[in-house]
Amino acid sequence: AVVSTQSTGRKQIMELKKDSFRLLRQIRKLRFLFTEKQLKLIVNSLVVCKLDYCNSLYHGINEHQLNELQLIQNAAGKAVFGLYKHDHLDDTLKKLHWLPIRSRIVFKILLLVYKTLNGKGPDYLSSMLRYSNVTHVPSLYEPTTLSKYGDRAFSKIGPSLWNKLPTDIKTCSTLEIFKITLKTHLFKEAYNIA
């Protein structure tokens, strides 16, 4: 089911933000007890995983809500490196090898598409994807939709994102290779690395 109202999404994001910042304050108080590597693991386990949980549903939310989620990730990165609230991030997220929120959402959707096309995804998603006969490259049929909520549906956004991927990523032989190749592609795209 698609989240039917913006207010429901906004409320969920505000709760996530409140909970995440509470956890980050507690982590900051104890940061002197841990190495940077341990802090990264703790922050990933307690905060970043919450940003990734069902994040494919965030595709198509408004910029303000995306920025709220990005604020949480930025604060998590600052907590790992001991930066303060008003310190500039510079390349903090890049050093942590974290994809920005928008790219994390795209990663999750494309991972679901890959799994579904390779028989490892949920059965109900496989009926939403079919190959297009128009080209010789592995592309998916993109249905037309009549509403902005339809544009956010997996059956629309999955094929749309998939068809924009380079062929070498779409034709990866294993899930692990696909994940690594996709993350590298999105990382380079997000941080303008040639």
Side-chain angles (χ1 to χ4, degrees):
V2 174
V3 177
S4 60
T5 63
Q6 287 292 336
S7 63
T8 305
R10 184 172 38 248
K11 182 179 177 188
Q12 191 272 336
I13 289 170
M14 294 314 292
E15 285 297 316
L16 174 63
K17 186 177 174 186
K18 187 172 96 176
D19 188 46
S20 297
F21 278 100
R22 180 185 54 78
L23 286 167
L24 288 170
R25 278 191 301 277
Q26 292 172 347
I27 291 168
R28 280 185 168 284
K29 289 177 185 175
L30 302 172
R31 96 173 299 285
F32 67 94
L33 297 171
F34 304 104
T35 66
E36 195 173 279
K37 188 176 178 180
Q38 290 170 325
L39 278 170
K40 182 180 176 184
L41 182 65
I42 291 167
V43 169
N44 264 324
S45 300
L46 297 177
V47 179
V48 177
C49 68
K50 291 174 186 259
L51 291 172
D52 288 338
Y53 179 72
C54 290
N55 70 352
S56 59
L57 295 175
Y58 293 141
H59 192 277
I61 63 174
N62 66 46
E63 281 300 310
H64 175 73
Q65 291 172 325
L66 268 177
N67 289 338
E68 292 292 314
L69 294 169
Q70 191 61 57
L71 281 173
I72 297 168
Q73 188 183 36
N74 293 350
K78 287 179 179 182
V80 171
F81 288 114
L83 300 174
Y84 293 100
K85 183 178 179 178
H86 298 291
D87 288 346
H88 190 65
L89 264 177
D90 291 323
D91 291 335
T92 303
L93 299 180
K94 191 174 167 183
K95 287 177 194 166
L96 290 166
H97 286 265
W98 288 353
L99 291 171
I101 293 298
R102 188 180 310 272
S103 299
R104 294 174 94 83
I105 293 167
V106 169
F107 179 87
K108 184 68 73 79
I109 293 168
L110 289 169
L111 184 60
L112 275 172
V113 171
Y114 180 86
K115 285 180 173 181
T116 302
L117 292 174
N118 289 282
K120 296 177 179 154
D123 290 336
Y124 67 92
L125 292 181
S126 60
S127 65
M128 296 181 192
L129 302 175
R130 63 181 198 260
Y131 284 103
S132 172
N133 295 330
V134 179
T135 63
H136 295 294
V137 292
S139 61
L140 296 174
Y141 170 73
E142 293 181 48
T144 54
T145 57
L146 302 174
S147 70
K148 66 179 181 177
Y149 293 113
D151 289 343
R152 291 180 59 192
F154 178 78
S155 59
K156 170 71 174 177
I157 199 60
S160 175
L161 292 172
W162 181 261
N163 292 341
K164 293 174 188 169
L165 279 179
T167 304
D168 63 313
I169 298 175
K170 291 192 259 188
T171 56
C172 286
S173 58
T174 68
L175 181 60
E176 281 309 307
I177 293 171
F178 177 78
K179 284 180 180 178
I180 292 166
T181 310
L182 178 60
K183 183 174 179 186
T184 301
H185 171 74
L186 293 173
F187 193 82
K188 287 178 177 179
E189 202 174 70
Y191 296 110
N192 297 318
I193 300 170

